[in-house]
Amino acid sequence: MANLAAVILILSTGIASQYAPGKAESVIRVRQANRTAMPLPATLPPTDGYIAVLDCNEIGNVWYLRHNGRVESFLVVDCAGDATTRAWMRRNNIIVEVDFATAHRWRTVGRGAQIERVLPALHAPY
C-alpha cells in the first residue's frame, strides 16, 4: 500500500495588503445588486474570506492562499480598477488585498502579510 502525502502547487508568492473595515462587504453588496459589470450572485460560496486581485476576470472565482502554513479559501470579490492601483500592486508584489476580518485573524492589521497562492492539496504517493 502506498503512503499518501499532500502535494501543494504554489502558483505565486507575494504580499497580501488589506481593505479597511467594511470595505469588502460594501463591494459585495454593490456587486450583488448588479451595479457593476462584474456582478456576484445573491448566495456566495462558503469561503474563509474575501479578496481583491489584479485581474477583474477573476471576480467570482475561489482562490486558495497559504499564510503561516495554513491554507484558506477566498472568494475574489473585487479587482484593481485603475492603472494607478494596478501599478502599485505590481510594484509592491501585492498579489491580493484581503478583507479586514482576515487581516485581523492573521494579526497583520496595518502591515502586509507574506502569502502564497496555491492549488488545493492533491494526494500523491509518497
Side-chain angles (χ1 to χ4, degrees):
M1 178 181 278
N3 291 327
L4 296 179
V7 176
I8 294 180
L9 178 61
I10 298 171
L11 300 176
S12 57
T13 62
I15 305 294
S17 66
Q18 65 208 237
Y19 271 154
K23 177 66 175 168
E25 295 78 7
S26 174
V27 168
I28 290 168
R29 283 191 301 274
V30 168
R31 291 194 185 283
Q32 286 178 319
N34 292 314
R35 290 187 265 166
T36 69
M38 306 297 270
L40 287 169
T43 303
L44 301 177
T47 59
D48 297 303
Y50 307 110
I51 57 174
V53 301
L54 273 169
D55 185 356
C56 294
N57 291 319
E58 291 290 334
I59 291 174
N61 291 332
V62 175
W63 282 24
Y64 295 87
L65 304 178
R66 182 165 54 182
H67 172 70
N68 282 344
R70 182 175 175 193
V71 176
E72 296 181 67
S73 62
F74 292 87
L75 179 64
V76 178
V77 299
D78 203 8
C79 61
D82 59 48
T84 302
T85 303
R86 287 189 298 275
W88 171 77
M89 289 178 77
R90 286 186 182 110
R91 183 174 58 252
N92 293 291
N93 197 28
I94 295 172
I95 299 172
V96 302
E97 288 189 85
V98 297
D99 61 278
F100 186 80
T102 296
H104 187 265
R105 183 174 67 252
W106 287 354
R107 296 185 173 144
T108 59
V109 173
R111 58 189 171 83
Q114 288 288 331
I115 60 163
E116 297 167 320
R117 181 180 176 204
V118 300
L119 288 181
L122 307 171
H123 292 288
Y126 181 70

